[in-house]
Amino acid sequence: MTSAPDTTLYVALHGKLTPHPLRDPSTATSDAYSLFVARSSAMGWLRDPPHDDYGLWGMNDAAYEPAATRVAWFQASLPAHPSPGGTSPIQPFLACVRDVVTRLGTLHLDAAQILLPPTAHEGAPRTEARLLQEAGWFTDLSPQAKTTIRVTLDSGQNPAIPSAAPHLLAWLRDLKQDVLTDLSLAHDDPITLRPAITDALWHGPAHHHITLNATLAEWSLDAIAWLATLLTHAIHQHNINTPLLLSTALSPGTTSPTG
């Protein structure tokens, strides 16, 4: 099952995934795909093809590779014509990924890569208000939870991102929130994760990009999902409507906490 670049939602997790002691991947009856389908269905997120008005995504594929540096990846397809005011379901998608990975083992996350499909502009005011409200989830965390990270946004063969960088950074700095702070443009190489996402899933290969240094309230899939949703919203505020590849990683020298 495949999906078009404008309707593909994809995430890959890089780091170390230690299987639970009582779970033997060679004999287990469930895998990343079946667990993701089951969890998506249980939460009402899985689209049922005969009933296209129900659910957020259709399942494409998934894999669990505990011996590799890319320990797991998940790919889903979004409706070709989302409802007006709709936004990409990045946060429930990563919540589902989080639940599946927790079932598989203990994750020490070093980096994550997310393909961000375009979203409808009509939902912008509601999205911004919701993001600022959701930022409250990350308040009152231990100061030790703050993590320095790097973020690369790549628009592939579309040159839109680099020219928008100064305005995008200014917009993000003006937003009254404490989840993503200390933003600055990085002038070193972009984050490169292997294996690379298939070019056919977006407008690849990677080429036009910006890289940011930042501090995240905590290094978790919940916070990364919030960050991805914020950046998707910010990008569309600047009239960029193309699939983007977001890669985020711990800054050099930062220790990976248990995800």
Side-chain angles (χ1 to χ4, degrees), residues 10-13 36 39-40 45 57 72-75 90-104 107 221:
Y10 167 93
V11 63
L13 306 179
F36 193 89
R39 188 59 174 163
S40 298
W45 295 331
W57 57 70
W73 60 269
F74 302 83
Q75 181 189 329
I90 298 166
Q91 288 163 292
F93 187 73
L94 262 73
C96 193
V97 168
R98 177 202 63 210
D99 291 347
V100 170
V101 170
T102 300
R103 184 64 60 87
L104 293 170
L107 174 66
L221 288 179

Side-chain angles (χ1 to χ4, degrees), residues 51-73:
H51 307 285
D52 286 339
D53 58 340
Y54 176 79
L56 298 178
W57 57 70
M59 188 58 184
N60 284 170
D61 205 354
Y64 162 50
E65 305 163 318
T69 55
R70 185 186 67 176
V71 295
W73 60 269

Side-chain angles (χ1 to χ4, degrees), residues 41-222:
S41 179
M43 300 302 292
W45 295 331
L46 189 67
R47 292 181 69 82
D48 186 4
H51 307 285
D52 286 339
D53 58 340
Y54 176 79
L56 298 178
W57 57 70
M59 188 58 184
N60 284 170
D61 205 354
Y64 162 50
E65 305 163 318
T69 55
R70 185 186 67 176
V71 295
W73 60 269
F74 302 83
Q75 181 189 329
S77 58
L78 304 181
H81 303 288
S83 59
T87 58
S88 291
I90 298 166
Q91 288 163 292
F93 187 73
L94 262 73
C96 193
V97 168
R98 177 202 63 210
D99 291 347
V100 170
V101 170
T102 300
R103 184 64 60 87
L104 293 170
T106 301
L107 174 66
H108 293 265
L109 185 67
D110 293 329
Q113 193 165 67
I114 307 168
L115 181 60
L116 307 175
T119 58
H121 288 274
E122 293 87 342
R126 185 176 62 184
T127 299
E128 187 169 325
R130 179 172 59 81
L131 281 164
L132 293 177
Q133 180 171 288
E134 290 169 359
W137 175 251
F138 302 99
T139 60
D140 298 325
L141 293 172
S142 166
Q144 284 71 38
K146 290 187 176 181
T147 307
T148 56
I149 63 169
R150 297 171 68 234
V151 179
T152 295
L153 278 173
D154 199 302
S155 51
Q157 298 304 294
N158 187 320
I161 277 290
S163 60
H167 305 289
L168 182 65
L169 191 59
W171 188 92
L172 288 168
R173 285 171 171 164
D174 286 343
L175 197 64
K176 303 301 181 184
Q177 51 81 30
D178 296 316
V179 184
L180 184 71
T181 56
D182 305 324
L183 285 157
S184 65
L185 278 174
H187 300 290
D188 50 0
D189 293 334
I191 299 169
T192 302
L193 299 173
R194 301 292 183 211
I197 185 173
T198 304
D199 292 344
L201 293 180
W202 66 308
H203 299 157
H207 184 62
H208 295 284
H209 62 264
I210 60 171
T211 299
L212 304 175
N213 293 317
T215 299
L216 194 62
E218 68 175 8
W219 182 244
S220 68
L221 288 179
D222 283 345

